[in-house]
């Protein structure tokens, strides 16, 4: 096998060269967030990156299409935002978790930044699903309860009328 090298010289080798063709077709999607997990308070937004890879784990373009983002908990108040588009999540239905579908445009890098606003306290995760590709999941997402939104009192009873309690009594 002969080839031309730097300076115009011709080199000869007895080795047979190999050529590896790498598929540019996406085979999987991944979801990344803050290293070590994401901790939020209910009502706050987590930032996540979706990335398409081929079957040899190289980043590849994505031709665009519908992506389903599922949460690891029931959070029908949650919101998914990509660019100027915001969509709500469904309520959990049997084994189907809360999810939102969004159409992503074509991307030469296969990379998309999305935001998820969480409202349900507890442990969660974010999973991206694209038809024909292996799903990607990011976890853990820990959502702490937010401040009380409202306090509603029912009927108030005057317990002093029955002499059950007197001013200054301590209730343990």
């Amino acid at each position: 096998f002969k080839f031309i090298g730097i300076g115009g010289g011709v080199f000869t080798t007895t080795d047979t060269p190999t050529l590896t063709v790498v598929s540019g077709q996406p085979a999987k999607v991944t979801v990344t967030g803050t290293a070590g997990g994401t901790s939020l308070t209910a009502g706050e937004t987590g930032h996540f990156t979706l990335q398409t890879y081929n079957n040899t784990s190289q980043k590849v373009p994505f031709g665009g299409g519908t992506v389903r983002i599922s949460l690891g908990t029931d959070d029908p108040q949650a919101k998914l935002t990509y660019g100027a588009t915001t969509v709500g999540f469904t309520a959990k239905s049997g084994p189907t978790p809360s999810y939102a579908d969004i159409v992503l445009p074509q991307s030469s890098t296969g990379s998309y930044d999305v935001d998820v606003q969480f409202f349900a306290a507890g442990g969660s995760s974010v999973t991206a699903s694209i038809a024909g590709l292996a799903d990607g999941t990011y976890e853990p997402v820990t959502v702490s309860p937010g401040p009380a939104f409202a306090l509603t009192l029912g009927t108030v009873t005057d317990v002093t009328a029955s002499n059950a309690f007197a001013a200054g009594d301590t209730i343990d």
Side-chain angles (χ1 to χ4, degrees), residues 30-84:
T30 62
V31 182
T32 55
T34 305
T38 297
S39 293
L40 304 167
T41 299
E44 289 184 335
T45 299
H47 307 285
F48 305 94
T49 300
L50 311 181
Q51 178 66 58
T52 53
Y53 289 89
N54 65 10
N55 57 5
T56 61
S57 297
Q58 295 176 322
K59 294 178 182 180
V60 292
F62 178 58
T66 300
V67 178
R68 174 164 287 181
I69 304 296
S70 303
L71 303 180
T73 189
D74 187 24
D75 194 349
Q77 291 180 295
K79 305 270 187 254
L80 171 66
T81 301
Y82 172 73

Side-chain angles (χ1 to χ4, degrees), residues 1-3 10-14:
F1 179 73
K2 294 182 179 180
F3 61 96
V10 175
F11 302 91
T12 303
T13 181
T14 57

